[in-house]
Amino acid sequence: MKEDIGVLGLETIRRNRGISLAQIAESTKISVRSLEAIERGDFAKLPGGIYNTSYIRQYARAIDYDESTILSYYHRVMGASETVDSGVAGSGNKGLLNGYRPASTILGS
């Protein structure tokens, strides 16, 4: 039997529920390639930005799976759990927030 190398066993869950990637692609308008990337946990193959979390949410809903579980995994893998302050403290970039200077410091407000 083929070993499930996907994330959180998503492919197995989807197959056990009798749902094909083509069905999900048709209902969500997400490409089969992107859906396969989600199942593999290959998030770098997704378009990026807010599209990634949107695609993951839609996939989870399509297979009736808890979206927060997949999103938690996604954020752990992608390192998106950094706090906003991490770009300020001890970085030597006084006044910068994640590499950008807030408008209030530029305008003197």
Side-chain angles (χ1 to χ4, degrees):
M1 187 163 137
K2 181 182 153 194
E3 199 176 308
D4 185 9
I5 58 171
V7 175
L8 306 171
L10 296 174
E11 180 181 0
T12 301
I13 292 166
R14 175 184 54 78
R15 287 178 187 239
N16 288 343
R17 293 187 175 153
I19 304 167
S20 72
L21 287 176
Q23 289 172 311
I24 298 172
E26 186 177 323
S27 67
T28 62
K29 307 302 182 216
I30 298 171
S31 72
V32 170
R33 186 169 49 194
S34 291
L35 296 170
E36 289 171 336
I38 292 169
E39 286 186 345
R40 286 189 314 268
D42 191 3
F43 302 120
K45 301 267 190 223
L46 297 178
I50 62 170
Y51 290 105
N52 289 7
T53 54
S54 175
Y55 283 16
I56 291 167
R57 285 180 193 280
Q58 290 180 68
Y59 174 87
R61 289 176 191 147
I63 66 167
D64 194 29
Y65 191 82
D66 180 32
E67 17 180 302
S68 64
T69 302
I70 304 174
L71 287 171
S72 174
Y73 178 81
Y74 166 76
H75 290 300
R76 260 194 330 273
V77 168
M78 300 305 285
S81 61
E82 293 181 35
T83 60
V84 174
D85 294 333
S86 66
V88 177
S91 66
N93 294 324
K94 189 168 179 87
L96 296 183
L97 182 62
N98 291 331
Y100 296 97
R101 186 173 310 280
S104 60
T105 62
I106 296 169
L107 301 174
S109 349

